[in-house]
């Protein structure tokens, strides 16, 4: 007889995010990430200023379409390469040398200060975006070597929290200096990237990839990689995040267009919805570790779909754009909890030889689902009323939550195995936190 357990039956070990900073190499990695992402946000805003970027008066449908194209190109071209590189080369070297290269490329952006060479700015921005995808995959897969298995959710949530803070600081500094002194902005960004490279280079534990990830044969086995995707835990995590992200994309597009039409805000409607989404994601990053300690993977998945379904259902019934904006924040919060739990599942259960490829494929899968969802939302909102589109999405969220009540999440196959907290990464020294069995 099938029994669904809402809460964890075993006592989870409490992991505070600040406890992870007791690991020297985690401190170096997270500090390098923070400086790198702050510098990246600074350079992006400065380059946009150099290329005379201004907020367009076009409607949100134009902004949405442009954003989808810009997002799809790096995913399509660089996504598969990022996973391959993260497995083929040592990730510490990828992070260190990649940030050095990003610093050099940012310095080259100074050439675009002249009106005759402004095209260089577009080339620099394209290269930086491509490097960002590669470094993200290397950084995300390296976390599995820096903390223990039961600490991955806390590590992932800390990484995402600092990403938001770093982006805000970089954008803030860029706003202050990019218009008056874009050269200074690019120089500060390049120096920041070089500083991040130095921090990554100081990491002493192996982060995976390279010679340590080689198997007995030099031939790459696609069948072995395919078998990894068929593992129940991996399959469950990928399917849950992709379906949630697909429906979330429809909601963002539909509500952004609804806000535009209601208030005649043009692109500001799209920006408002993105701001609400970012706010919900930030809160979700803070709650993910607490939720993961108290609820198993299946419960988190079901609750994330139900919360989103209820929020979008209320927005559909009210047809009020303000309610829609709040609903987007609730959906983002629910998805972020699901995403962080799924990230940790992929990191903990993938083979070390293929972790980069598996994580990159998982990342591409749910991001392409989001792009597809936004495209569907744009088309559907032009053919039907917003309340009808959102009502259909609310029903879909609810029905899918029932689906994940039934399908296997791989927990049953681990019934005879030891508790996950018995796992210790072979590369992490553990003098600080004692695990009580």
């Amino acid at each position: 007889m099938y029994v669904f357990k809402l809460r964890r039956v075993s006592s989870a070990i409490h992991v505070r995010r600040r406890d992870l900073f007791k690991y020297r190499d985690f401190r170096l990695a997270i500090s390098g990430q923070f400086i790198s992402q702050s510098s990246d946000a600074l350079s992006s805003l400065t380059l946009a200023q150099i290329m005379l970027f201004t907020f367009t008066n076009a409607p949100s449908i134009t902004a949405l379409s442009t954003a989808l194209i810009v997002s799809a190109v790096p995913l399509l071209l660089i996504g598969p390469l990022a996973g391959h590189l993260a497995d083929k080369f040592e990730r510490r070297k990828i992070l260190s040398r990649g940030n050095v290269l990003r610093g050099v490329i940012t310095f080259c952006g100074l050439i675009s200060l002249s009106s005759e060479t402004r095209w260089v700015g577009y080339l620099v921005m394209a290269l930086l975006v491509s490097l960002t995808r590669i470094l993200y995959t290397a950084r995300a897969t390296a976390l599995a070597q820096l903390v223990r298995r039961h600490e991955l959710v806390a590590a992932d949530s800390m990484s995402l929290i600092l990403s938001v803070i770093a982006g805000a600081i970089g954008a803030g500094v860029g706003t202050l200096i990019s218009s008056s002194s874009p050269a200074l902005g690019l120089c500060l960004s390049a120096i920041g990237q070089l500083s991040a490279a130095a921090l990554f280079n100081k990491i002493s534990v192996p982060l995976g990839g390279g010679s340590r990830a080689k198997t007995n044969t030099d031939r790459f086995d696609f069948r072995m990689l395919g078998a990894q995707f068929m593992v129940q835990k991996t399959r469950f995590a990928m399917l849950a995040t992709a379906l949630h992200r697909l429906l979330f994309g429809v909601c963002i597009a539909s509500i952004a267009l609804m806000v535009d039409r209601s208030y005649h805000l043009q692109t500001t409607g799209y920006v408002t919805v993105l701001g609400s989404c970012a706010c919900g994601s930030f809160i979700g990053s803070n709650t993910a570790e607490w939720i993961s300690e108290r609820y198993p993977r299946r419960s988190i998945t079901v609750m994330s779909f139900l919360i989103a379904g209820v929020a979008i259902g209320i927005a559909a019934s009210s047809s009020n754009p303000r309610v829609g904006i709040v609903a987007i924040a609730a959906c983002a919060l629910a998805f972020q909890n699901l995403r962080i739990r799924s990230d940790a599942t992929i990191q903990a259960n993938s083979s070390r030889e293929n972790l980069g490829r598996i994580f990159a494929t998982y990342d591409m899968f749910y991001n392409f689902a989001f792009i597809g969802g936004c495209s569907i939302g744009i088309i559907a909102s032009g053919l039907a009323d917003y309340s009808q589109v959102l009502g259909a999405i609310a029903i879909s969220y609810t029905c899918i939550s029932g689906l994940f009540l039934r399908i296997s999440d791989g927990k049953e196959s681990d019934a005879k195995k030891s508790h996950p907290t018995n796992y210790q990464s072979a590369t992490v020294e553990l003098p600080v936190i004692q695990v009580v069995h």
Side-chain angles (χ1 to χ4, degrees), residues 222-244:
F222 283 98
R223 287 180 298 178
M224 183 176 66
L225 180 62
Q228 284 286 311
F229 289 114
M230 296 307 295
V231 173
Q232 289 179 335
K233 288 185 177 181
T234 302
R235 188 174 57 199
F236 186 92
M238 292 183 69
L239 184 61
T241 50
L243 287 176
H244 202 296

Side-chain angles (χ1 to χ4, degrees), residues 163-209:
S163 294
V164 175
I165 297 174
I169 291 176
V173 174
T175 301
L176 292 175
I177 67 175
S178 62
S179 58
S180 58
S181 180
L184 177 60
L186 289 176
C187 288
L188 287 176
S189 176
I191 292 172
Q193 300 291 0
L194 296 176
S195 301
L199 289 172
F200 284 121
N201 196 48
K202 290 181 179 179
I203 295 175
S204 59
V205 301
L207 300 181

Side-chain angles (χ1 to χ4, degrees), residues 217-391:
T217 177
D218 292 331
R219 293 176 56 190
F220 177 67
D221 191 343
F222 283 98
R223 287 180 298 178
M224 183 176 66
L225 180 62
Q228 284 286 311
F229 289 114
M230 296 307 295
V231 173
Q232 289 179 335
K233 288 185 177 181
T234 302
R235 188 174 57 199
F236 186 92
M238 292 183 69
L239 184 61
T241 50
L243 287 176
H244 202 296
R245 196 68 166 161
L246 174 70
L247 298 178
F248 189 33
V250 179
C251 295
I252 283 185
S254 183
I255 291 176
L257 295 176
M258 180 175 67
V259 171
D260 271 6
R261 181 169 294 182
S262 300
Y263 297 121
H264 305 288
L265 293 176
Q266 301 297 333
T267 306
T268 309
Y270 173 55
V271 174
T272 302
V273 169
L274 286 185
S276 176
C277 177
C279 194
S281 296
F282 183 74
I283 296 173
S285 296
N286 280 276
T287 60
E289 189 273 328
W290 185 90
I291 293 292
S292 185
E293 280 187 357
R294 288 159 178 78
Y295 298 94
R297 177 172 47 253
R298 188 192 299 277
S299 294
I300 293 173
T301 303
V302 172
M303 288 190 297
S304 69
F305 278 92
L306 283 177
I307 290 171
V310 170
I312 296 302
I314 294 173
S317 61
S318 69
S319 296
N320 187 318
R322 291 190 180 91
V323 176
I325 291 172
V326 175
I328 282 294
C331 288
L333 186 154
F335 174 75
Q336 196 73 347
N337 279 276
L338 172 62
R339 178 225 173 149
I340 291 175
R341 188 67 187 87
S342 296
D343 283 1
T345 297
I346 299 295
Q347 291 164 332
N349 294 283
S350 300
S351 67
R352 296 193 177 188
E353 295 82 4
N354 296 310
L355 176 57
R357 296 179 181 90
I358 295 171
F359 193 90
T361 303
Y362 155 75
D363 179 62
M364 289 176 59
F365 191 44
Y366 78 73
N367 277 302
F368 272 124
F370 177 73
I371 294 171
C374 287
S375 302
I376 294 171
I378 292 172
I379 296 171
S381 297
L383 300 175
D385 186 72
Y386 297 116
S387 60
Q388 294 175 329
V389 176
L390 295 177

Side-chain angles (χ1 to χ4, degrees), residues 83-266:
H84 176 72
L85 293 176
D87 289 332
K88 185 175 179 60
F89 301 102
E90 291 184 31
R91 293 178 194 133
R92 183 180 64 83
K93 291 182 179 179
I94 292 175
L95 292 168
S96 177
R97 297 175 184 179
N99 277 283
V100 170
L101 181 58
R102 194 148 64 168
V104 172
I105 292 174
T106 302
F107 271 125
C108 293
L110 294 171
I111 302 174
S112 64
L113 292 174
S114 171
S115 58
E116 292 79 13
T117 57
R118 193 151 296 167
W119 60 270
V120 175
Y122 293 98
L123 177 60
V124 167
M125 183 169 287
L127 291 173
L128 291 178
V129 169
S130 299
L131 273 173
T132 297
R133 297 305 312 171
I134 295 172
L135 294 178
Y136 168 75
T137 301
R139 192 170 61 241
T141 51
L143 276 178
Q145 316 303 320
L146 292 169
V147 298
R148 295 176 293 185
R149 183 172 179 173
H150 68 284
E151 297 167 332
L152 275 170
V153 171
D156 286 330
S157 64
M158 174 58 73
S159 176
L160 290 172
I161 289 169
L162 290 180
S163 294
V164 175
I165 297 174
I169 291 176
V173 174
T175 301
L176 292 175
I177 67 175
S178 62
S179 58
S180 58
S181 180
L184 177 60
L186 289 176
C187 288
L188 287 176
S189 176
I191 292 172
Q193 300 291 0
L194 296 176
S195 301
L199 289 172
F200 284 121
N201 196 48
K202 290 181 179 179
I203 295 175
S204 59
V205 301
L207 300 181
S211 59
R212 293 178 181 270
K214 288 183 179 179
T215 57
N216 294 330
T217 177
D218 292 331
R219 293 176 56 190
F220 177 67
D221 191 343
F222 283 98
R223 287 180 298 178
M224 183 176 66
L225 180 62
Q228 284 286 311
F229 289 114
M230 296 307 295
V231 173
Q232 289 179 335
K233 288 185 177 181
T234 302
R235 188 174 57 199
F236 186 92
M238 292 183 69
L239 184 61
T241 50
L243 287 176
H244 202 296
R245 196 68 166 161
L246 174 70
L247 298 178
F248 189 33
V250 179
C251 295
I252 283 185
S254 183
I255 291 176
L257 295 176
M258 180 175 67
V259 171
D260 271 6
R261 181 169 294 182
S262 300
Y263 297 121
H264 305 288
L265 293 176
Q266 301 297 333

